[in-house]
Amino acid sequence: MTDTPAKPVLLTGAAGGLGRQLAPALAARGWKLVLTDLVPFPDALPEGARFVRADLADGPAILRLAEGCGTVLHFGGVSTEHPFEQVVDANIRGLYHIYEAARRERARVVFASSNHAVGFHERAEPLDDDCQLLPDSYYGLSKVYGEMMGRMYWFKHGVETVAVRIGSSFPRPVDARMLSTWLSYADLIRLMERATLSPATGCCVIWGASANARSFWRQDARGSLGGAPQDSADPFTAELADKRTQAVFTERYQGGGYTDIDRTRPTPVQGRLFE
Ligand SMILES: NC(=O)c1ccc[n+]([C@@H]2O[C@H](COP(=O)([O-])OP(=O)(O)OC[C@H]3O[C@@H](n4cnc5c(N)ncnc54)[C@H](O)[C@@H]3O)[C@@H](O)[C@H]2O)c1
């Protein structure tokens, strides 16, 4: 496996929390990057990168941006829970534009999916990549839609997708839940390298987490991508294990606080799903 992609890589959401980690790190490895976001890139532009401001809802702009690119690292969009009308343009319509661009360019999509696509699974139940999708929010539902779009474009057009169900990617874990879900920035960057440089990925799912002993997640396609997470939330256990809330839904389900946002159901589902 070479360490530089043959074609430029398009990074959406470049001005966001994770984009600002990825852009300089990948540029430092000699990658040619096309960066884009709705808002200006706030840092010095890394060497070998260009930035174009665009709205994911603008289909022709996304097609132009993707021209000549071999991979789209799709990190742009609404990244937390919002009312449906605020999620739909960037995360549903925008995703369609990304996939149409990938189809045209024969490019691979690495999709920043989320644990909130499966947030209504109980924490006690370890999940494999083929588990039921149980979104906990309109945001999580948009990630389910994205994963399903990836499958449709794989079967129908041969567009490859690596869907990374990111747990919590922040400088450090800050509560008990993150002892299970934390993804260090360094592990995120290594994962993006593997997802981009692996010769063939097909359409696969990866749990976006570091090597956490308390992980909610088990089997995924990491074996075929190669590489393994090198960081872990475990050293923070003594500090954070008791940092919990009193909220029943939040503590029962993998999606944490998202399962409580705008909730009207008084008690959790008991027993088997859908009973
Ligand atoms: N950080 C995490 O722990 C985490 C966890 C799960 C999933 N994710 C996913 O990873 C991706 C990046 O997360 P982040 O934490 O950097 O989020 P972020 O909100 O910091 O970055 C998202 C970026 O997308 C841009 N954006 C929003 N609407 C847009 C539009 N219509 N057109 C173009 N750009 C638009 C925003 O301006 C922002 O810079 C998101 O897709 C998010 O859902 C992140």
Side-chain angles (χ1 to χ4, degrees), residues 10-255:
L10 173 61
L11 173 63
T12 71
L18 300 187
R20 289 174 70 188
Q21 298 297 320
L22 289 168
L26 299 176
R29 287 159 170 77
W31 292 24
K32 293 271 171 282
L33 298 175
V34 180
L35 309 177
T36 185
D37 202 294
L38 193 58
V39 300
F41 189 66
D43 307 321
L45 209 54
E47 203 178 318
R50 63 188 178 92
F51 178 82
V52 181
R53 206 167 159 182
D55 189 334
L56 287 163
D58 181 347
I62 300 302
L63 285 180
R64 280 195 300 277
L65 274 169
E67 268 172 28
C69 291
T71 307
V72 183
L73 302 181
H74 184 41
F75 280 70
V78 176
S79 64
T80 52
E81 177 61 334
H82 282 78
F84 177 75
E85 291 299 340
Q86 292 173 36
V87 173
V88 73
D89 275 347
N91 290 24
I92 303 289
R93 214 175 286 285
L95 204 89
Y96 164 68
H97 297 147
I98 292 291
Y99 270 92
E100 273 302 287
R103 180 178 68 80
R104 188 185 281 196
E105 299 297 325
R106 312 305 301 167
R108 178 182 297 166
V109 178
V110 181
F111 173 51
S113 184
S114 168
N115 69 90
H116 295 292
V118 296
F120 267 121
H121 281 281
E122 307 222 0
R123 293 189 184 190
E125 167 196 9
L127 301 180
D128 293 334
D129 52 1
D130 60 354
C131 67
Q132 290 260 23
L133 291 161
L134 288 180
D136 58 23
S137 49
Y138 292 116
Y139 162 73
L141 194 56
S142 77
K143 297 300 187 183
V144 169
Y145 182 83
E147 290 195 23
M148 292 303 104
M149 184 167 277
R151 289 191 192 176
M152 194 274 266
Y153 272 76
W154 169 240
F155 277 92
K156 194 163 247 186
H157 303 299
V159 173
E160 290 188 317
T161 290
V162 180
V164 182
R165 289 185 193 143
I166 300 173
S168 311
S169 196
F170 297 99
R172 51 163 284 169
V174 297
D175 59 20
R177 177 174 172 273
M178 284 199 203
L179 294 173
S180 305
T181 60
W182 187 56
L183 172 66
S184 74
Y185 288 152
D187 277 339
L188 170 73
I189 292 160
R190 284 188 277 268
L191 181 54
M192 289 304 115
E193 275 188 286
R194 305 302 300 195
T196 304
L197 297 172
S198 292
T201 63
C203 181
C204 67
V205 172
I206 302 284
W207 296 109
S210 288
N212 308 322
R214 296 183 175 213
S215 180
F216 300 149
W217 309 312
R218 293 186 306 207
Q219 195 269 322
D220 66 10
R222 272 205 197 243
S224 55
L225 289 192
Q230 292 173 26
D231 296 323
S232 172
D234 299 356
F236 298 90
T237 305
E239 178 192 339
L240 298 176
D242 294 330
K243 205 163 170 206
R244 300 178 185 281
T245 69
Q246 299 299 313
V248 174
F249 275 61
T250 294
E251 296 302 328
R252 180 182 184 116
Y253 293 118
Q254 295 194 2

